[in-house]
Amino acid sequence: DGPSVVDAAAALAAQRQSVADAGNEAGAVSVAATATAISDGASEFVAGIAPPGVPDGSPKEAATGVALQLAELVLACVSRPERAVVDAALDYFININTVPVSSRAEPLRSGLYAQALP
């Protein structure tokens, strides 16, 4: 259901410290794998399109903001040096790529990929 996907993504985005903590590879892998699982079941949401069941107005804008926070979290994952973390995050990008770039929220278009490249 749409609102529960947004809530799950928001809770995950709050785990940024797990990704930032250099000594917590397992936590970063878990965060990356969970973000990928969310993207697997809700690719349009992670592309910034509010899922069905989210009412019009500010909740839709909030959902897009959560999708952007999730993308930033995944970008933090792929910037880590451990291969296991990066591997856990890569399918997120495959899943978001199933949504045409023109349909995505503006911040989740080509700029997302530009940030992922060194």
Side-chain angles (χ1 to χ4, degrees), residues 86-100:
V86 176
D87 283 348
L90 286 180
D91 281 346
Y92 168 91
F93 292 101
I94 292 170
N95 293 333
I96 197 173
N97 218 24
T98 64
V99 178

Side-chain angles (χ1 to χ4, degrees), residues 11-21 31 69 72-76:
L12 184 64
Q15 299 300 313
R16 189 161 180 99
Q17 188 59 41
S18 294
V19 174
D21 183 4
V31 166
Q69 291 171 2
E72 290 169 349
L73 183 71
V74 175
L75 286 171

Side-chain angles (χ1 to χ4, degrees), residues 46-78:
V46 297
I49 302 166
V54 174
D56 288 336
S58 77
K60 282 195 184 281
E61 293 164 8
T64 299
V66 170
L68 181 57
Q69 291 171 2
L70 188 63
E72 290 169 349
L73 183 71
V74 175
L75 286 171
C77 289
V78 298

